[in-house]
Amino acid sequence: MINTSKIRKDFPILDKKILNQKDLIYFDTAASAQKPELVISEMDNFYRQNYSNVSRGIHTLSVESTFAFEEARVKVQKFINASSEKEIIFTKSATESINLIAQTFAEKNINEGDEIVLTTMEHHSNLIPWFLVRDKYKCTIKFADIDKNGHIDKEHFASLLNDKTKIVAITHLSNVFGTETNSEILKLCNDRNIPVLLDGCQSAAHLDIDVQKLGCDFYVFSGHKLYGPSGIGILYGKEEILEQLPPYQGGGGMIADVTLDSATFTGLPAKYEAGTPPIVEAFGLGVAIDYVTEIGMNNINNHETELTKTALNEMMDLDFVEIYGTSSDKNSIISFNLENIHSHEVASFLDVEGVAIRAGHHCCQPLMKKLNVNSTSRMSFGIYNTADEIKVFINAIKKCRDFFKK
Amino acid sequence: MINTSKIRKDFPILDKKILNQKDLIYFDTAASAQKPELVISEMDNFYRQNYSNVSRGIHTLSVESTFAFEEARVKVQKFINASSEKEIIFTKSATESINLIAQTFAEKNINEGDEIVLTTMEHHSNLIPWFLVRDKYKCTIKFADIDKNGHIDKEHFASLLNDKTKIVAITHLSNVFGTETNSEILKLCNDRNIPVLLDGCQSAAHLDIDVQKLGCDFYVFSGHKLYGPSGIGILYGKEEILEQLPPYQGGGGMIADVTLDSATFTGLPAKYEAGTPPIVEAFGLGVAIDYVTEIGMNNINNHETELTKTALNEMMDLDFVEIYGTSSDKNSIISFNLENIHSHEVASFLDVEGVAIRAGHHCCQPLMKKLNVNSTSRMSFGIYNTADEIKVFINAIKKCRDFFKK
Amino acid sequence: MNDLLKELYQEIILDHGQEPRNFGTCENHNKSADGHNPLCGDKVHLSFYLDENDIINDIKFSGEGCAISIASASLMTEKLKGMKLSEAQSIFNDFTKLVKGDADTLEILNDEDSLYALKGVEAFPMRVKCATLAWHTFKSAVENK
Amino acid sequence: MNDLLKELYQEIILDHGQEPRNFGTCENHNKSADGHNPLCGDKVHLSFYLDENDIINDIKFSGEGCAISIASASLMTEKLKGMKLSEAQSIFNDFTKLVKGDADTLEILNDEDSLYALKGVEAFPMRVKCATLAWHTFKSAVENK
Ligand SMILES: Cc1ncc(COP(=O)(O)O)c(C=O)c1O
Ligand SMILES: Cc1ncc(COP(=O)(O)O)c(C=O)c1O
């Protein structure tokens, strides 16, 4: 097990008092994780000691920045076990990573009448990029059904795959249900040689990721959900596929040779990193990866699934709580509603108690429609959360129910 | 005049000793500026006190982050005098800003046979995005000539404009010559109602910018060249134009309503900010803007043009120095070569002397071909530079010449 | 119980939130609009009849949302019914200031007014959008041809 | 003058940088490639004749670049001429290590070797690309059909 009280000391924001009185209980890690001291101070220090633009300079600071930046790439590579650092592209966010693949993959591979397979529980960031492709290339999107726990219906999924299926893009861990996509789903795609994009936004911080074992062709995530800074995302893509795809954005750094008539592009990863990249952000993400690796992804996973079980059990005992997905393989995320109380009221009420949760559609409007709700509340856990915090939370939702009952 | 010795104390990196002995002389601000203490420590503090994801949450941290983020937008708006904060889009870099406009503008407005006008001195980041448009829409790009000082040839430029010209995209301040684009060039476009994109990467940190007076329809720059953090860029676009353009990237935050069949998008600026934006980076850029505004852009401009004059005069006296562009309206940037010495040698030599300059093609390969050089050295100034540093530099290039002469 | 919450959820808010007045669609309307808070999915539909003297006759709303947005819509319809358009627009401005914490600068509304019940929103900046959803919808209905 | 610079720009480097050996194109070649450093625009063209015993016969290069890249190309051609391909490839590995500061792990090269003149590059990591440009071009020439 992990030493939570030690870990909590690493996160300066946990000292915060909400409204000057309540201890902060941060149950919104799925939206964005808080940052450990180490990440904050190393970035701070980097700006004070080593900062300059990367790749193009010869002077000392440029060397230091370039090496730190490329070292971060290798850290990411190892973290998800990619086979080469060329397969790691720095973007600004997972959303951008998905857009990059959607556009470039479609340009090369998708024609009118082709099919893309998603699920009904995808985040808008894994829906709209494909909608834009659908509009442009007149292809079809098919949506795999899910059950009430957020598990993809394997038979239905299999029935959607055919020779016209050009790519499958699915979440690895649902940001509403907290359930993990079964490896059999990926197997079905692998068997048919259909490329798979896994949206790893929620899995990267909670599971031990091995992109080669997973059998995905693309894997995307955001640094800010992995205890790293804002402003950085990752696109992993298999080298042999990325090499074949056209460029996305054009600009400095991705050019081999330019005349006024034409340009040739450099190889991976630079080809997809036009312009000055998020330098210090990449460095900071590298530090965050060191931090979680030191704790151990399996330890983190154990801690968080334990917390999830505890919370789930307590909540299931409360008759005024409706929970979306109650399967025991939930990880870090619980979505719920309190009877007859809108999620906004719950969120505001809990905020005053110091508990930060999220309320709304969680960028999953189609799923909300399917669940037949307008919105839900969502609590989500990180390495710094404790069973004691869950007690405070349970108490607070009881108070909330009472407050709005009268 | 500005108080340089006071300002220098604001930049922690200036205490750095290169190779443990030489004082750092940072003449590479055009590639990326160093960061003042204030920017570094405020971002640091933001992560410790106020960080969370923006826009979608109700809890206290989400409120604090959202308000800080939107406040930064207003700071940018005021800094460049845009008429509404809706016209300020946060991107990851100026390069992305240009790609965004190139793609969306072309999708709506450019057809086969249409024309785009650039100049021969554009940075790759203002060339390649248009090359990608050219490839896709089979339009033509015309290149305005420049003279040896980097001034656009007004007559030639005028002769390129016609009814097929859909957009003009030009640098505001050349990153090789340091010369500013004449307002008459913009006037020519305005008179014909041709939209103009100004690449403000080099001007934002050196000139007092008023996008309305300038008469540009789009203005882009990067935070990292304006003493702000890496990972943030700005796109300014006139509201009535941006409103008409299609979305660029799709994802969370830019959606009004989604079903599995279709999506509607929110208004500006969210429409162009899919996914979690560079939150702390935007905040940090706001701090940087406060910092330079406090010093005063006109004071900064005076200081830097003064330095440029000093350096130019000294360098013109040296017969082994070839300077690219010697006009007196140069600002902050001097490109040069030492006779028979490759720019790499100069950069490595100066690095050992503590002087950081840039060597290479400066992402302007077509211009290098035009100048008939393989590469140049480039020195560039920021608010922290001094005339004394120029003395050290002049001395160092003399030593460099001697070293390679033997 | 916390004072801020008591301020936010006054009796009248909970009442209007649970039993909104003027709920539905005006049979006879010449102005209408849909409002929508993309951050949470809350929705409101507003319709009213603006007569030849620019008086807001019948006005109704429907939709789903939190207590604040529903109560605000309900209170708004009560307030605006029978009012001259120009006055309604001034109230729009005042109301926006009120919930944003600028109560000192109001021009028409005073603390006797039922809309004052929403003053508690000022302590919850992320709820301002909830409180003003109906009002923005009103504004777009006015602007719609 | 600084020691690092003296290390970097040894007599032999300046000499080969200014007067490169084997400059030009082999009339009779069956292998060639273009190399290019996109960061600065330096270019090299390499051609050689690989005979039926996998011996590198004639080898020449042309191009523009800094003293380090030109001297490195010049020294490389001197070194490789007459050498067996497999041995050249081992030297490629050794040379890469040498300029990256891993001189301790070399397998073939020793400090008597002329290529050792480029060891000074290790103190200038951004110049490694200059020093290895010709070698990478050699590698792609080998891989080209
Ligand atoms: C004139 C000009 N345009 C565009 C850019 C690209 O800016 P960035 O790399 O920050 O996107 C630069 C800086 O490298 C520049 O100097
Ligand atoms: C499952 C999932 N996909 C995609 C995203 C988008 O990530 P970002 O906003 O960092 O681009 C998120 C987070 O909001 C998510 O939870």
Side-chain angles (χ1 to χ4, degrees):
Chain A
M1 264 311 183
I2 68 180
N3 183 342
T4 326
S5 57
K6 185 164 163 284
I7 287 173
R8 290 179 65 83
K9 293 207 187 81
D10 294 335
F11 288 83
I13 210 166
L14 296 179
D15 293 336
K16 174 140 181 155
K17 300 282 177 228
I18 298 298
L19 300 167
N20 296 321
Q21 47 172 353
K22 297 280 182 177
D23 288 333
L24 168 65
I25 295 182
Y26 191 71
F27 280 171
D28 197 20
T29 294
S32 199
Q34 293 299 340
K35 320 305 171 199
E37 167 71 34
L38 193 70
V39 169
I40 303 171
S41 60
E42 290 277 305
M43 291 201 297
D44 184 292
N45 206 42
F46 192 86
Y47 277 124
R48 286 167 199 271
Q49 302 265 347
N50 316 104
Y51 178 80
S52 108
N53 211 328
V54 292
S55 303
R56 287 165 234 159
I58 278 177
H59 57 74
T60 299
L61 293 175
S62 175
V63 173
E64 291 176 1
S65 287
T66 303
F67 279 70
F69 182 69
E70 292 303 329
E71 199 183 331
R73 195 189 304 281
V74 174
K75 286 180 186 180
V76 174
Q77 178 211 334
K78 296 201 169 131
F79 184 64
I80 61 172
N81 196 31
S83 44
S84 155
E85 75 263 23
K86 289 188 189 169
E87 302 185 319
I88 307 299
I89 315 288
F90 287 122
T91 63
K92 70 176 168 186
S93 64
T95 299
E96 171 162 69
S97 302
I98 298 173
N99 278 277
L100 191 166
I101 285 304
Q103 288 299 322
T104 58
F105 188 88
E107 188 175 331
K108 174 144 173 74
N109 298 305
I110 295 188
N111 296 303
E112 195 168 334
D114 284 341
E115 296 178 3
I116 297 168
V117 172
L118 312 175
T119 80
T120 51
M121 66 179 161
E122 297 309 316
H123 189 281
H124 293 168
S125 290
N126 195 29
L127 282 178
I128 313 299
W130 305 108
F131 283 20
L132 296 177
V133 165
R134 175 169 66 186
D135 292 348
K136 199 152 140 192
Y137 296 93
K138 315 274 170 253
C139 60
T140 304
I141 301 180
K142 293 188 165 173
F143 295 91
D145 281 346
I146 54 160
D147 70 15
K148 66 186 190 335
N149 288 316
H151 294 123
I152 299 173
D153 179 331
K154 201 184 147 187
E155 256 144 61
H156 183 244
F157 182 84
S159 77
L160 298 181
L161 304 183
N162 62 48
D163 291 350
K164 288 189 269 173
T165 316
K166 289 296 149 72
I167 190 165
V168 169
I170 47 180
T171 185
H172 190 205
L173 193 96
S174 156
N175 68 314
V176 170
F177 296 107
T179 41
E180 190 183 338
T181 292
N182 197 308
S183 60
E184 291 175 11
I185 297 292
L186 283 115
K187 182 100 192 356
L188 286 170
C189 305
N190 298 162
D191 288 348
R192 283 181 157 271
N193 268 320
I194 300 169
V196 187
L197 179 148
L198 265 195
D199 174 355
C201 279
Q202 295 300 339
S203 60
H206 303 299
L207 306 177
D208 191 5
I209 301 296
D210 182 330
V211 288
Q212 300 187 65
K213 269 207 205 122
L214 277 169
C216 58
D217 301 83
F218 307 106
Y219 181 86
V220 306
F221 66 98
S222 284
H224 69 92
K225 299 198 198 233
L226 183 60
Y227 309 99
S230 58
I232 181 105
I234 296 296
L235 166 63
Y236 156 80
K238 277 196 187 145
E239 191 175 346
E240 63 267 29
I241 305 186
L242 287 183
E243 260 177 359
Q244 302 295 321
L245 299 182
Y248 180 55
Q249 297 179 335
M254 51 81 80
I255 289 305
D257 204 13
V258 197
T259 66
L260 296 179
D261 297 322
S262 68
T264 55
F265 306 113
T266 57
L268 297 169
K271 169 178 158 190
Y272 288 116
E273 294 180 356
T276 301
I279 300 167
V280 185
E281 290 73 11
F283 168 76
L285 175 57
V287 177
I289 285 176
D290 287 344
Y291 180 79
V292 292
T293 306
E294 170 81 25
I295 298 174
M297 288 312 294
N298 285 325
N299 294 332
I300 291 174
N301 191 352
N302 287 339
H303 172 70
E304 290 167 346
T305 47
E306 206 51 54
L307 280 183
T308 313
K309 260 189 211 119
T310 308
L312 196 62
N313 285 338
E314 300 247 7
M315 289 164 82
M316 283 170 73
D317 284 347
L318 303 175
D319 59 4
F320 61 94
V321 181
E322 164 127 33
I323 302 171
Y324 303 97
T326 51
S327 62
S328 61
D329 64 344
K330 255 177 140 60
N331 189 331
S332 309
I333 293 171
I334 301 175
S335 294
F336 64 95
N337 269 320
L338 304 191
E339 208 172 65
N340 292 327
I341 311 178
H342 190 284
S343 64
H344 281 180
E345 265 73 72
V346 179
S348 284
F349 190 96
L350 291 186
D351 183 40
V352 173
E353 299 286 321
V355 184
I357 61 153
R358 194 135 289 239
H361 53 56
H362 316 293
C363 294
C364 287
Q365 285 187 16
L367 177 57
M368 294 295 122
K369 280 165 198 152
K370 197 179 150 71
L371 294 174
N372 208 10
V373 293
N374 183 274
S375 70
T376 77
S377 294
R378 180 185 73 183
M379 69 195 303
S380 57
F381 306 124
I383 38 177
Y384 30 61
N385 292 123
T386 66
D388 281 346
E389 291 179 324
I390 291 173
K391 277 192 200 130
V392 176
F393 164 82
I394 294 288
N395 225 344
I397 55 174
K398 284 182 187 161
K399 273 160 73 178
C400 179
R401 192 263 323 252
D402 294 343
F403 181 83
F404 286 103
K405 212 162 61 178
K406 53 159 197 201
Chain B
M1 264 313 184
I2 68 179
N3 182 343
T4 326
S5 58
K6 186 164 163 283
I7 286 173
R8 289 180 64 82
K9 294 208 186 81
D10 294 336
F11 288 81
I13 210 167
L14 297 179
D15 294 336
K16 174 137 183 158
K17 300 282 177 231
I18 298 297
L19 299 168
N20 296 321
Q21 47 171 353
K22 296 279 181 179
D23 289 333
L24 168 65
I25 294 183
Y26 190 72
F27 280 171
D28 197 20
T29 295
S32 199
Q34 294 299 340
K35 320 305 172 198
E37 166 71 33
L38 193 70
V39 168
I40 303 172
S41 61
E42 289 277 305
M43 290 200 299
D44 184 292
N45 206 41
F46 191 87
Y47 276 125
R48 286 167 199 271
Q49 302 264 347
N50 316 104
Y51 178 79
S52 105
N53 210 327
V54 292
S55 303
R56 287 163 232 160
I58 278 177
H59 57 74
T60 299
L61 292 175
S62 174
V63 173
E64 291 176 1
S65 287
T66 303
F67 279 69
F69 182 70
E70 291 303 328
E71 200 183 332
R73 195 189 304 280
V74 174
K75 287 180 185 178
V76 174
Q77 178 210 335
K78 295 201 170 132
F79 183 65
I80 61 171
N81 196 31
S83 45
S84 154
E85 76 263 23
K86 288 188 190 169
E87 301 184 320
I88 307 300
I89 314 289
F90 287 122
T91 63
K92 70 177 168 185
S93 64
T95 299
E96 170 161 71
S97 302
I98 298 173
N99 278 278
L100 191 166
I101 285 304
Q103 287 300 323
T104 58
F105 188 88
E107 187 174 332
K108 174 143 173 74
N109 298 305
I110 295 188
N111 295 306
E112 194 168 334
D114 284 342
E115 297 177 4
I116 297 168
V117 172
L118 313 175
T119 80
T120 51
M121 66 179 160
E122 296 311 316
H123 189 281
H124 293 168
S125 290
N126 195 29
L127 281 178
I128 313 300
W130 305 107
F131 283 21
L132 296 177
V133 165
R134 174 170 66 185
D135 292 347
K136 198 152 141 192
Y137 295 95
K138 316 272 171 252
C139 59
T140 305
I141 301 181
K142 292 187 166 174
F143 296 91
D145 280 346
I146 53 161
D147 70 14
K148 67 185 188 336
N149 287 315
H151 294 122
I152 299 173
D153 179 331
K154 201 183 145 185
E155 255 145 62
H156 183 245
F157 182 84
S159 77
L160 299 181
L161 304 183
N162 62 47
D163 291 349
K164 287 190 269 174
T165 316
K166 289 295 149 72
I167 189 165
V168 169
I170 47 180
T171 187
H172 190 205
L173 193 97
S174 157
N175 67 314
V176 170
F177 296 106
T179 41
E180 189 183 336
T181 291
N182 198 308
S183 60
E184 291 175 10
I185 297 292
L186 283 117
K187 183 101 192 356
L188 285 169
C189 305
N190 298 162
D191 287 348
R192 283 182 157 270
N193 268 320
I194 299 169
V196 186
L197 179 147
L198 265 195
D199 175 355
C201 279
Q202 296 300 340
S203 60
H206 302 298
L207 306 176
D208 191 6
I209 301 297
D210 181 331
V211 288
Q212 300 187 65
K213 269 206 205 120
L214 278 169
C216 59
D217 301 83
F218 307 106
Y219 181 86
V220 306
F221 66 98
S222 285
H224 69 92
K225 298 196 200 236
L226 184 59
Y227 309 99
S230 59
I232 180 105
I234 296 295
L235 165 64
Y236 156 80
K238 277 197 185 144
E239 191 175 345
E240 62 268 30
I241 305 186
L242 287 183
E243 261 177 358
Q244 302 294 322
L245 299 183
Y248 180 55
Q249 298 179 335
M254 51 81 79
I255 289 305
D257 204 12
V258 197
T259 66
L260 296 179
D261 297 323
S262 68
T264 55
F265 306 113
T266 57
L268 297 169
K271 170 177 157 190
Y272 288 115
E273 294 180 356
T276 301
I279 300 167
V280 185
E281 290 72 13
F283 168 76
L285 174 57
V287 177
I289 285 177
D290 287 345
Y291 179 79
V292 292
T293 306
E294 171 80 25
I295 298 174
M297 288 312 294
N298 285 324
N299 293 331
I300 291 174
N301 191 353
N302 287 339
H303 171 71
E304 291 166 346
T305 48
E306 207 49 56
L307 280 183
T308 313
K309 262 190 209 114
T310 307
L312 195 62
N313 287 337
E314 300 247 8
M315 289 163 81
M316 284 169 73
D317 284 348
L318 304 174
D319 59 3
F320 61 94
V321 182
E322 164 126 34
I323 303 171
Y324 303 96
T326 51
S327 63
S328 62
D329 63 344
K330 257 178 137 61
N331 190 330
S332 311
I333 292 171
I334 301 175
S335 294
F336 63 94
N337 270 319
L338 305 192
E339 210 172 66
N340 293 328
I341 311 178
H342 191 283
S343 65
H344 281 181
E345 265 73 71
V346 180
S348 283
F349 190 96
L350 292 186
D351 183 41
V352 172
E353 298 286 320
V355 184
I357 60 152
R358 194 135 288 237
H361 52 56
H362 316 294
C363 293
C364 286
Q365 286 188 13
L367 176 59
M368 294 295 121
K369 280 165 197 152
K370 196 179 152 69
L371 294 175
N372 207 10
V373 294
N374 184 272
S375 69
T376 77
S377 293
R378 180 185 71 183
M379 70 195 302
S380 57
F381 306 124
I383 40 178
Y384 29 62
N385 292 125
T386 66
D388 281 346
E389 291 179 324
I390 291 173
K391 279 191 200 130
V392 175
F393 164 82
I394 294 288
N395 226 342
I397 56 175
K398 286 181 186 161
K399 275 162 66 179
C400 179
R401 193 261 324 252
D402 295 344
F403 181 83
F404 286 102
K405 213 162 59 178
K406 53 158 197 198
Chain C
M1 190 48 55
N2 182 288
D3 287 346
L4 294 175
L5 286 171
K6 277 200 205 128
E7 272 296 314
L8 181 63
Y9 294 109
Q10 296 180 22
E11 211 48 69
I12 172 171
I13 300 291
L14 294 178
D15 174 25
H16 278 257
Q18 268 150 31
E19 287 174 36
R21 324 296 196 262
N22 304 313
F23 199 83
T25 315
C26 302
E27 293 214 350
N28 244 332
H29 66 261
N30 54 6
K31 295 274 174 192
S32 73
D34 288 306
H36 180 239
N37 182 349
L39 302 183
C40 59
D42 282 0
K43 283 188 185 112
V44 65
H45 175 79
L46 186 77
S47 58
F48 61 90
Y49 187 82
L50 192 69
D51 73 14
E52 58 286 1
N53 301 319
D54 264 2
I55 304 282
I56 297 163
N57 268 304
D58 204 14
I59 175 166
K60 285 192 172 155
F61 84 99
S62 60
E64 353 171 40
C66 60
I68 303 296
S69 71
I70 297 293
S72 177
S74 172
L75 288 165
M76 178 185 85
T77 55
E78 280 197 332
K79 182 80 192 172
L80 298 187
K81 196 180 279 183
M83 193 175 271
K84 226 181 139 77
L85 184 60
S86 56
E87 199 187 349
Q89 280 166 324
S90 304
I91 292 189
F92 171 93
N93 292 336
D94 267 15
F95 181 76
T96 311
K97 288 181 186 167
L98 179 73
V99 293
K100 285 190 175 167
D102 276 344
D104 296 348
T105 63
L106 305 195
E107 288 171 12
I108 304 180
L109 290 182
N110 65 52
D111 58 10
E112 307 276 279
D113 201 287
S114 62
L115 296 180
Y116 245 78
L118 283 151
K119 187 166 183 302
V121 171
E122 68 183 15
F124 296 84
M126 296 309 273
R127 305 300 299 275
V128 168
K129 284 219 170 98
C130 309
T132 55
L133 177 60
W135 289 88
H136 283 289
T137 312
F138 168 68
K139 218 182 158 195
S140 32
V142 171
E143 285 160 6
N144 281 353
K145 267 291 104 204
Chain D
M1 190 49 55
N2 183 288
D3 286 346
L4 294 176
L5 286 171
K6 278 200 206 128
E7 273 295 315
L8 181 62
Y9 295 110
Q10 296 180 22
E11 213 45 71
I12 173 171
I13 299 291
L14 293 177
D15 174 24
H16 278 257
Q18 267 149 32
E19 288 174 37
R21 322 299 194 264
N22 304 314
F23 198 84
T25 313
C26 301
E27 293 214 350
N28 245 332
H29 66 260
N30 55 6
K31 296 273 173 192
S32 73
D34 288 307
H36 180 238
N37 184 348
L39 301 183
C40 59
D42 282 0
K43 283 188 185 109
V44 66
H45 175 79
L46 187 77
S47 57
F48 59 90
Y49 186 82
L50 193 68
D51 73 13
E52 58 287 1
N53 301 320
D54 264 5
I55 304 280
I56 297 164
N57 268 305
D58 204 14
I59 175 165
K60 285 193 173 157
F61 84 101
S62 60
E64 355 171 41
C66 59
I68 304 297
S69 71
I70 298 293
S72 176
S74 172
L75 288 164
M76 177 185 84
T77 54
E78 283 198 330
K79 181 82 193 171
L80 297 187
K81 197 181 278 185
M83 193 174 271
K84 224 181 139 81
L85 184 60
S86 56
E87 199 187 348
Q89 280 166 326
S90 304
I91 293 191
F92 171 93
N93 293 336
D94 267 14
F95 181 76
T96 312
K97 287 180 186 166
L98 178 74
V99 292
K100 285 191 175 166
D102 275 344
D104 296 350
T105 63
L106 303 195
E107 289 172 11
I108 303 180
L109 290 182
N110 65 51
D111 58 11
E112 308 276 280
D113 201 288
S114 63
L115 295 181
Y116 245 76
L118 283 151
K119 186 167 184 300
V121 171
E122 68 183 16
F124 297 83
M126 297 308 273
R127 305 300 299 275
V128 169
K129 285 218 169 98
C130 310
T132 55
L133 177 60
W135 287 88
H136 284 288
T137 313
F138 169 67
K139 216 182 159 195
S140 32
V142 171
E143 285 159 7
N144 281 353
K145 269 291 102 201

